[in-house]
Amino acid sequence: MSSTQQEAPLGAGPRPEIVNNFSLNIATINGSGSQTSNGVLLRTFFKMGIPVTGKNLFPSNIQGLPTWYVIRLSKDGYLARRDPYEVVVCLNARTVADDMAKVAEGGIVLYDDSLPIAARRPDVTYYPMPVNKLVKEANVPFELKDYIANMVYVGVLVHVLGIEMSEIEAAVDWSFEGKRKPIDLNMDMVRRSYQWAVANLIKTDPYRVERMAGFNEGKIMVDGNTAAALGTIWGGVTVVGWYPITPASSVIDNLIKYLPKLRTDPETGKATFAVIQAEDELAAIGMVVGAGWAGARAMTATSGPGLDLMAEFAGLAYFAEVPAVIWDVQRVGPSTGLPTRTSQADILSAYYLSHGDTRYPLLFPADPAECFEFGHAAFDLAERLQTLVMVLSDLDLGMNVWASAPFQYPEKPLDRGKVLDAEQLRALSGSWGRYRDVDGDGIGYRTLPGTPHPAAAYFTRGTGHTDAATYSERPEDWEGNLDRLARKFETARALVPGPVVDEVEGARIGIISLGSNHPAIVEARDLLRTAGIESSYLRLRALPINGAVREFMHRFEKVFVVENNHDGQLHQILLSEEPLCGGDLVAVARNNGLSLTAAWIAEQIQGKM
């Protein structure tokens, strides 16, 4: 037995088992290699069929600062973050007092027995782990000790929670891509720790896991940024301009990883794409707009501070009507804010980005499958509408791993929009206007550079212009152009992805939300139902809104708009587009850097009814 003795709650007797229904918080140190251990646990639970999700809470810039990884297991399939935690693993001396204090009543604490324990709660089970002793006995290479030490808590959890060792081994094998040396090194520590726990720890808590079915079958585990990158590739991306920024960089990292495998000419061996790291975000979007003008499918990925710097070129893309795509993986602002925390606080700035009268189509994916879908759909929209399209993901969706439906690969050909070729120009006798509304939808026809016809050329203007792209300062030309652009935006309402509506007969209230809030909304509605409150739910997938959204907003006594920002930005946009809703449209907004919880949403709605 370790020198630090195991302690069970005072007066604890037999308690009912709690199976596949608790949250596990692992408190470690940034840069210590715990990401591998935590990923192994998450994958193991998933492969055992347990509905599970993981949230990584890490510092923005300094190795050695505290980091937490929260895994929620829910036999009922709930995937939102939930407070409090029933199982806590403590490996960080700087946070151990707080981490232990936050464990739920009746919970358990697994801790490195070298850590000082400020106070012992009588309602908690404590399991010590002799981390240093076990690592020393394993004779681990010095430079790997800190990394391998994290596998100690994996082995102890195998015993305490009843995790299947075979699935742990499969997860370690997957993590190290079949490389025997690191697999054997890590599994040796897992087995040593497990054997020590079996010999020295007597389980007195009710928490355990077991294999189950009915949820994970046919699903994959993937983060939103990887899904976004793959969807972009399937959408025919050709040019990527970017500048690194958390939490969007891994979108581009994955493009760099997969593009050479998927977009290399098999005959010449040459790349059919270009990924260019610019000197800043302004240069990155400049490259993208230039490539879009030349006919490439071009995109960038950024976050709030980068989006600010892109505003000027965004306005050029809007007014010159150049197709391009921005992936905005949102984080907490203003200013530098909290780079490694999540929010949905860029909605207003993205919708109206740049000076003047501008509005852009925005897409809001809710899961990795939709990140993939919008990865290719955004290009079709951008070229059909000849405008900049932005996809607003967030850190929670983008950087965390989710159970997801498999990706649905696009079956339709690429939609290049209204592009005139040489034959069409000849049929028109060369008479056409780049900014002329021929079809009444506000969208003009364009040509691509290099089109072999003398009438193909035109001036691309960010200044005042006529419908034939000639320079003009005449008030009627300026106003006519803005009227046409507004008409094009009305056309966009029917082209962007429509909302997903779950209508409940007899419901007196409605809920509107978007993006990664979806799992919390699903669970919150069940909590409200338990309290006798039925609700209908509209998940907004895009702006601008269409008739279905307007109708939903008027259908109920109150409609609650739930979003992860401080000022209720989506609520403001909905009121501006449908002001008659007035007081019947209620903002439910919060921005503390964390994803929303179902309990908080349900409490807020009940309090505002």
Side-chain angles (χ1 to χ4, degrees):
M1 172 69 83
S2 165
S3 58
T4 305
Q5 299 298 307
Q6 173 184 340
E7 294 186 18
L10 294 177
R15 290 183 283 172
E17 285 191 328
I18 299 174
V19 182
N20 298 345
N21 198 30
F22 55 87
S23 290
L24 164 63
N25 183 22
I26 302 168
T28 57
I29 298 171
N30 191 43
S32 66
S34 58
Q35 183 175 353
T36 300
S37 304
N38 299 334
V40 163
L41 286 170
L42 188 71
R43 184 174 178 83
T44 295
F45 294 140
F46 176 77
K47 288 296 186 179
M48 288 178 65
I50 305 168
V52 64
T53 187
K55 311 286 188 189
N56 191 16
L57 304 176
F58 59 101
S60 61
N61 57 2
I62 301 175
Q63 184 169 338
L65 288 181
T67 184
W68 295 267
Y69 194 80
V70 182
I71 298 176
R72 181 182 181 184
L73 300 87
S74 170
K75 63 181 178 57
D76 300 312
Y78 297 130
L79 298 178
R81 186 179 67 87
R82 183 177 67 87
D83 294 325
Y85 317 117
E86 289 82 8
V87 181
V88 176
V89 175
C90 298
L91 270 73
N92 190 343
R94 294 176 59 179
T95 65
V96 64
D98 280 346
D99 295 331
M100 289 187 174
K102 290 177 181 176
V103 68
E105 180 180 347
I108 64 177
V109 171
L110 291 80
Y111 65 98
D112 182 340
D113 68 2
S114 68
L115 297 181
I117 308 301
R120 293 182 180 274
R121 289 171 45 186
D123 60 341
V124 171
T125 301
Y126 293 87
Y127 294 117
M129 301 182 295
V131 177
N132 294 333
K133 175 176 177 291
L134 289 168
V135 172
K136 184 176 180 180
E137 289 175 352
N139 197 26
V140 176
F142 177 79
E143 66 275 11
L144 297 178
K145 284 185 176 181
D146 289 342
Y147 296 95
I148 299 300
N150 291 295
M151 287 295 174
V152 171
Y153 65 77
V154 174
V156 175
L157 284 170
V158 168
H159 168 61
V160 172
L161 298 180
I163 302 171
E164 295 180 12
M165 182 68 82
S166 60
E167 288 292 0
I168 291 285
E169 185 164 10
V172 171
D173 187 290
W174 182 88
S175 180
F176 291 102
E177 299 178 336
K179 300 181 179 67
R180 286 316 316 170
K181 187 173 181 180
I183 291 171
D184 292 343
L185 191 63
N186 282 272
M187 281 307 303
D188 178 64
M189 182 52 67
V190 171
R191 292 192 180 94
R192 285 175 180 270
S193 305
Y194 168 74
Q195 290 162 3
W196 176 88
V198 170
N200 293 276
L201 298 181
I202 301 172
K203 183 172 173 63
T204 59
D205 67 271
Y207 302 100
R208 70 177 181 86
V209 298
E210 66 179 26
R211 185 172 291 275
M212 61 176 284
F215 187 84
N216 293 345
E217 290 83 1
K219 293 186 178 179
I220 60 174
M221 293 205 79
V222 65
D223 62 272
N225 284 355
T226 298
L230 290 169
T232 297
I233 294 171
W234 257 258
V237 69
T238 306
V239 176
V240 179
W242 75 297
Y243 186 78
I245 186 170
T246 301
S249 292
S250 59
V251 174
I252 311 300
D253 291 339
N254 280 289
L255 283 169
I256 292 170
K257 175 181 178 180
Y258 290 111
L259 275 168
K261 301 176 182 178
L262 300 171
R263 295 292 297 281
T264 298
D265 189 298
E267 295 182 3
T268 66
K270 293 182 178 180
T272 59
F273 62 89
V275 179
I276 308 162
Q277 182 174 331
E279 60 266 35
D280 55 30
E281 287 89 350
L282 182 61
I285 189 62
M287 294 174 182
V288 167
V289 172
W293 171 83
R297 289 200 152 190
M299 61 85 69
T300 188
T302 191
S303 194
L307 195 66
D308 293 344
L309 295 173
M310 295 179 179
E312 185 176 357
F313 268 121
L316 173 62
Y318 176 84
F319 199 57
E321 301 180 65
V322 177
V325 172
I326 297 176
W327 272 81
D328 176 17
V329 188
Q330 299 168 92
R331 71 190 208 188
V332 175
S335 189
T336 303
L338 298 174
T340 59
R341 296 292 184 267
T342 196
S343 84
Q344 296 166 331
D346 294 351
I347 301 172
L348 272 171
S349 61
Y351 199 44
Y352 301 111
L353 189 64
S354 193
H355 57 281
D357 298 307
T358 56
R359 282 184 296 173
Y360 305 87
L362 306 182
L363 307 185
F364 305 110
D367 54 36
E370 278 193 339
C371 286
F372 180 88
E373 176 189 345
F374 292 171
H376 57 81
F379 284 123
D380 284 349
L381 272 173
E383 293 209 281
R384 170 55 54 185
L385 292 166
Q386 298 175 22
T387 192
L388 175 64
V389 171
M390 284 176 267
V391 187
L392 268 60
S393 175
D394 58 43
L395 183 147
D396 184 31
L397 175 56
M399 293 193 71
N400 288 322
V401 175
W402 296 78
S404 171
F407 303 152
Q408 297 296 312
Y409 298 110
E411 297 180 355
K412 296 180 180 179
L414 305 184
D415 184 354
R416 302 306 305 268
K418 298 182 179 183
V419 179
L420 295 173
D421 58 24
E423 184 177 342
Q424 290 169 312
L425 287 169
R426 281 191 291 271
L428 292 169
S429 300
S431 177
W432 70 290
R434 169 66 183 92
Y435 300 111
R436 188 171 299 155
D437 185 2
V438 177
D439 302 316
D441 57 6
I443 306 170
Y445 284 80
R446 64 178 175 137
T447 59
L448 300 180
T451 301
H453 190 283
Y458 63 91
F459 282 104
T460 304
R461 296 187 182 276
T463 56
H465 48 264
T466 68
D467 65 2
T470 58
Y471 183 74
S472 173
E473 294 186 10
R474 297 172 62 204
E476 55 267 36
D477 286 335
W478 183 268
E479 190 171 27
N481 216 14
L482 291 182
D483 286 344
R484 182 183 58 78
L485 289 169
R487 194 158 57 249
K488 181 168 74 169
F489 197 73
E490 291 302 308
T491 298
R493 297 184 189 278
L495 296 179
V496 298
V500 176
V501 181
D502 180 16
E503 193 80 51
V504 174
E505 186 176 353
R508 294 187 297 109
I509 67 168
I511 299 173
I512 296 176
S513 195
L514 74 170
S516 63
N517 303 331
H518 177 64
I521 298 292
V522 170
E523 186 177 0
R525 293 179 70 205
D526 285 348
L527 293 176
L528 290 169
R529 184 174 295 112
T530 300
I533 302 170
E534 286 290 356
S535 64
S536 291
Y537 169 38
L538 182 146
R539 179 167 66 83
L540 193 72
R541 299 206 301 159
L543 286 174
I545 64 172
N546 62 18
V549 182
R550 297 182 193 277
E551 182 183 343
F552 187 90
M553 291 165 65
H554 287 284
R555 196 177 302 157
F556 305 95
E557 295 176 11
K558 284 188 183 294
V559 176
F560 298 90
V561 183
V562 181
E563 49 191 309
N564 195 338
N565 55 62
H566 184 271
D567 294 337
Q569 295 182 19
L570 177 62
H571 177 261
Q572 294 180 48
I573 290 172
L574 293 177
L575 274 181
S576 72
E577 299 217 349
E578 195 66 13
L580 293 178
C581 282
D584 296 335
L585 199 68
V586 182
V588 177
R590 186 181 201 182
N591 185 6
N592 64 356
L594 303 175
S595 56
L596 302 180
T597 67
W600 180 85
I601 294 170
E603 177 185 323
Q604 292 297 306
I605 290 176
Q606 287 179 285
K608 295 174 185 287
M609 288 186 64

